[in-house]
Amino acid sequence: MTKDNNISKAGGANALWGGRFDGAPSSIMEAINASIDVDRRMATQDLAGSSAHAAMLAACAIISDEDEKAIQRGLAEIGAQIARGDFTFSTALEDIHMNIEARLGDLVGEAAGRLHTARSRNDQVATDLRLWLRDALDSIDTLLADFQRALITLAEAEFDTIMPGFTHLQSAQPVSFGHHMLAYVEMMARDRGRFTDTRKRLNENPLGAAALAGTAYPIDRDMTANALGFERPMANSLDAVSARDFALEFLSAASICAVHLSRLAEELVIWTSAGFAFVSLSDQFSTGSSIMPQKRNPDAAELVRAKAGRICGDLNTLLMVMKGLPLAYSKDMQEDKEPVFDAYDALCLSLTAMTGMMSDLGINRAALAAAAGAAYSTATDMADWLVREASVPFRDAHHLTGQIVKLAETQNKTLSALSLTDMQTIAPMLTEDVFDVLTPQASAASRTSFGGTSPQNVKSQIELWKEKLS
């Protein structure tokens, strides 16, 4: 053995690369080339793809029935070994495909060498990742539905609890707390739609595209597509091995979903602060301080907020990997799986944490009610009263109400605490009836337009959502 800058030059050729190479790869080449620590997560999918491929090869008389039976027996044993934790993964064998193929050779001998007929690792990995992501999307949809149910349960309990609605994080108009929760139910529904669309588009079979050009063997790609639950084989072999838009689409949908979760997490951080005290998190989702004994920190919400950045970073990682790649396959694409797996793990954990927090959330109704009536939140209701009851054009009503708010500020009073006489110095058309619309409860109850915040609307929407999710 000789060494040059700690790079090994000795050893035989890599058996997986055939006769083209005389020497072994350097230790650095082996380290940068190997992906087994990442792609071993696709073992189940790789075994399924190999099983379907072997069955098709036998059905097309490309391999013998005896070889196919031996291959299927070996693949089943490898699956059992992996499930038991008995399988040894080797970095020298680079990836999950070659680890399984090498072990298959140990188990069934020469028949294992016939499995790779009419396929390449290029179409194999594309197939595995689509299969893995299809399962992942199903798991995410279940978690999203669970989160929606937690939000709906909370909305139902607080459908008539009034809180301030905000724009610019300034108190704007009173809204139902249940209405606020249902806003996130709607967001999650759109997220589920994006993931569902992603699943539909990715559900095409690359297997049989081989390295990039297809194969001269008389294979049946419809058979493998059906066996693996794909809608159809991919129609272009170059596209089949080089496309990663399905992974980008998943990461894009995951990023949008994570941003939605981050917005709610941010509200929990704000609402649990002493300045707001709208809600409280239980011990299950709070932490303390090593120096300040009074502290209760919303760390779970903060970490969900942070993970949105991580997931968005995963999207940018794969965008940068793919942005300049010519057709067809390039080794750069080995970097596709780590951001996909990382985003999936982070999103699942975030969804689970948010579901737990919202299922366990304490509501401070008194603080919400007090805040709902502060900062002249019913000013729009006074302007609407002037339009509706006194036929004042809205722009004029807006101006008059603004002057009345200014008067209330000078007297340090709420609108409902002002005397009618003082109000009439600015808007003489006001009557005693205006006080009926100046409470937060009356304001929220009046918003009966479709999609509005009236508690009655909220109850109706809750029933619709419960039916959808049943």
Side-chain angles (χ1 to χ4, degrees), residues 45-75:
Q45 290 74 27
D46 197 75
L47 290 166
S50 291
S51 177
H53 186 67
M56 180 274 295
L57 291 176
C60 295
I62 297 171
I63 66 173
S64 69
D65 291 341
E66 291 74 18
D67 282 342
E68 194 248 334
K69 289 176 183 176
I71 289 168
Q72 299 291 6
R73 184 176 67 252
L75 292 173

Side-chain angles (χ1 to χ4, degrees), residues 268-351:
L268 291 180
V269 172
I270 293 170
W271 293 352
T272 55
S273 67
F276 279 76
F278 287 176
V279 300
S280 59
L281 292 169
S282 73
D283 292 352
Q284 293 186 75
F285 295 99
S286 304
T287 64
S289 166
S290 62
I291 188 173
M292 294 171 284
Q294 83 282 7
K295 291 297 293 296
R296 179 186 288 275
N297 299 322
D299 283 8
E302 291 170 355
L303 288 166
V304 169
R305 186 175 60 183
K307 286 187 185 296
R310 180 171 179 164
I311 293 168
C312 292
D314 289 326
L315 169 61
N316 283 322
T317 294
L318 189 54
L319 283 169
M320 293 304 99
V321 167
M322 298 301 299
K323 71 172 182 62
L325 295 187
L327 297 181
Y329 183 84
S330 297
K331 192 68 171 183
D332 311 50
M333 292 160 70
Q334 181 170 288
E335 294 294 316
D336 60 354
K337 287 166 285 297
E338 195 162 5
V340 168
F341 296 161
D342 182 71
Y344 170 76
D345 291 342
L347 184 60
C348 287
L349 183 56
S350 296
L351 281 167

Side-chain angles (χ1 to χ4, degrees), residues 16-17 41 81 112 124 127 172 200 211 328 337 361 390 457:
L16 303 176
W17 298 342
R41 288 182 69 158
Q81 290 178 1
Q124 196 176 351
T127 303
K200 289 178 182 176
K337 287 166 285 297
L361 197 66
N457 278 8

Side-chain angles (χ1 to χ4, degrees), residues 14 33 56 60 73 87 99 125 212 328 383 399 405:
N14 189 313
N33 198 47
M56 180 274 295
C60 295
R73 184 176 67 252
F87 190 89
N99 269 263
V125 69
L212 75 163
H399 181 73
V405 169

Side-chain angles (χ1 to χ4, degrees), residues 74-220:
L75 292 173
E77 174 56 27
I78 291 169
Q81 290 178 1
I82 291 173
R84 292 194 304 265
D86 294 342
F87 190 89
T88 300
F89 294 96
S90 168
T91 301
L93 293 171
E94 296 184 23
D95 55 35
I96 188 59
H97 324 299
M98 300 315 302
N99 269 263
I100 287 176
E101 185 173 322
R103 181 58 180 148
L104 186 64
D106 295 339
L107 292 172
V108 305
E110 187 178 87
R114 296 191 170 90
L115 174 60
H116 208 54
T117 307
R119 76 174 184 183
S120 161
R121 282 189 293 174
N122 294 356
D123 61 340
Q124 196 176 351
V125 69
T127 303
D128 288 0
L129 187 54
R130 284 173 186 264
L131 289 172
W132 186 93
L133 194 47
R134 194 175 67 187
D135 292 340
L137 288 165
D138 292 341
S139 297
I140 288 171
D141 188 70
T142 298
L143 292 175
L144 279 165
D146 289 343
F147 182 43
Q148 286 181 299
R149 291 187 186 96
L151 291 169
I152 289 165
T153 297
L154 183 57
E156 188 169 29
E158 308 296 336
F159 80 97
D160 59 353
T161 297
I162 305 303
M163 65 174 289
F166 297 96
T167 60
H168 310 278
L169 202 56
Q170 304 295 312
S171 184
Q173 291 178 282
V175 299
S176 154
F177 190 90
H179 192 60
H180 197 109
M181 294 300 101
L182 290 182
Y184 286 100
V185 174
E186 297 283 346
M187 291 182 212
M188 295 304 114
R190 294 193 295 274
D191 289 326
R192 292 180 71 186
R194 276 181 280 270
F195 287 124
T196 297
D197 288 345
T198 299
R199 193 190 191 284
K200 289 178 182 176
R201 269 186 287 276
L202 71 78
N203 202 31
E204 295 184 339
N205 185 22
L207 198 58
L212 75 163
T215 178
Y217 292 97
I219 62 173
D220 185 346

Side-chain angles (χ1 to χ4, degrees), residues 22-36:
D22 294 325
S26 73
S27 59
I28 292 176
M29 181 63 205
E30 184 175 287
I32 197 172
N33 198 47
S35 61
I36 187 60

